[in-house]
Amino acid sequence: IVTFLLGWKDGDGVFLCADSAATSVGLPEGKRSSFGEAQQVDRFAVEERAVKVLELPRAVLVGVCGDVESALDFVVSTSKQLAYTKKPLHEILQYVASQGRIEAPFKLLFGHCVNGEPVLTAFHSQGKHIDDVLPGRVATFGSMPADKKTLAARLVGTVCAHPLAAEARLAATLVA
């Protein structure tokens, strides 16, 4: 079972892409996913039922990978800080990370603007690292095999190099 979160930025904006798989104990509702994978793995059900790219206040997007419950607790706290303070996202992430124990590992990618410029920021719960992803780089998180991460990075490079508008570039590549 593969789970993934991809993020990249080009001159036009920030792009996030994630799967919708969520793991729980018990039986799945169906035997196969939309990709034909078995949804029962040992005693766990892995089903396509999670929304992992969310919109937060102040036009911030976040993509989630890893333990969804722990990640969403962190995202809710971050969302509240975005709504009630004017602090920059990096300061908010540092503050939220310092406020409590993180139950299980997760990674987040935030798409936001700083002084009108698109920024892609990664947060790693283990170590509580906050890093901005450089333009032209692809952030790949999850259990995706290394060869698939390389393929995804090449795909994104193709999308970003195409002369169409950003949305059309992505749609054209995904349809192809």
Side-chain angles (χ1 to χ4, degrees):
I1 306 258
V2 172
T3 185
F4 68 88
L5 171 61
L6 302 174
W8 68 95
K9 86 173 222 171
D10 67 9
D12 298 326
V14 172
F15 303 88
L16 299 175
C17 178
D19 71 329
S20 62
T23 303
S24 60
V25 176
L27 296 174
E29 289 183 22
K31 291 185 184 227
R32 299 259 174 223
S33 73
S34 63
F35 293 102
E37 295 178 312
Q39 294 193 131
Q40 184 74 37
V41 180
D42 298 324
R43 61 186 174 94
F44 299 101
V46 181
E47 299 179 274
E48 299 167 320
R49 59 181 172 83
V51 176
K52 295 184 183 177
V53 177
L54 307 163
E55 185 176 2
L56 304 181
R58 295 181 16 201
V60 173
L61 294 177
V62 62
V64 176
C65 185
D67 186 83
V68 175
E69 187 174 332
S70 292
L72 291 180
D73 286 345
F74 190 91
V75 167
V76 166
S77 295
T78 302
S79 181
K80 288 177 183 176
Q81 291 296 312
L82 285 166
Y84 298 117
T85 73
K86 298 290 183 199
K87 293 180 181 176
L89 180 63
H90 281 230
E91 285 183 34
I92 290 172
L93 295 176
Q94 290 169 342
Y95 172 77
V96 173
S98 73
Q99 292 304 299
R101 200 172 113 241
I102 293 174
E103 296 294 323
F106 61 87
K107 294 178 182 175
L108 304 172
L109 284 173
F110 292 88
H112 58 110
C113 285
V114 174
N115 298 324
E117 292 296 319
V119 178
L120 180 62
T121 300
F123 176 82
H124 307 259
S125 68
Q126 293 180 311
K128 301 178 181 175
H129 297 287
I130 302 166
D131 301 298
D132 287 338
V133 179
L134 298 174
R137 302 284 304 194
V138 179
T140 57
F141 298 141
S143 61
M144 187 184 300
D147 63 328
K148 302 291 190 242
K149 286 183 180 182
T150 302
L151 179 62
R154 267 194 261 145
L155 173 66
V156 169
T158 301
V159 170
C160 292
H162 203 279
L164 300 174
E167 295 83 4
R169 290 192 313 239
L170 183 58
T173 302
L174 293 176
V175 170

